[in-house]
Amino acid sequence: MGFSLICFYLQLLLPDWMSNRYPDGDHFYRRRFTAAYKARLRWAYRLWLGSALLMLTLPSPPIIIGLGLFTTFISFSLLDES
């Protein structure tokens, strides 16, 4: 009951274009559903996983902060529209 009520309210509040899940590489929202974007998302996930493992093996604050910032930069670069 509660989950369906939340979904109903979200349908009322969100714009119509957010309910369209058809992949379109030119649309700013629907490009997330293309196969190329999903492949880049998998790369970003693997990058974060490897970074987290490296952070666990070298638990030094400068390494954790530096690696976290570098991984964030690389992830944004991977998932950019270009």
Side-chain angles (χ1 to χ4, degrees):
M1 173 71 184
F3 182 72
S4 60
L5 190 61
I6 290 173
C7 289
F8 174 71
Y9 284 138
L10 282 177
Q11 285 179 348
L12 288 177
L13 295 174
L14 294 178
D16 292 333
W17 51 263
M18 286 192 80
S19 62
N20 189 352
R21 302 280 185 199
Y22 182 74
D24 182 13
D26 295 329
H27 194 266
F28 68 96
Y29 174 72
R30 292 188 317 217
R31 70 180 172 91
R32 295 182 350 175
F33 305 114
T34 61
Y37 187 84
K38 288 181 181 180
R40 290 192 309 257
L41 192 63
R42 282 191 298 271
W43 271 104
Y45 176 76
R46 291 178 192 146
L47 178 72
W48 273 104
L49 188 62
S51 171
L53 290 175
L54 190 60
M55 287 179 197
L56 287 174
T57 58
L58 302 170
S60 171
I63 292 176
I64 290 174
I65 292 170
L67 192 59
L69 289 173
F70 180 71
T71 306
T72 302
F73 170 72
I74 296 297
S75 295
F76 281 143
S77 297
L78 276 173
L79 299 176
D80 193 21
E81 291 183 4
S82 62

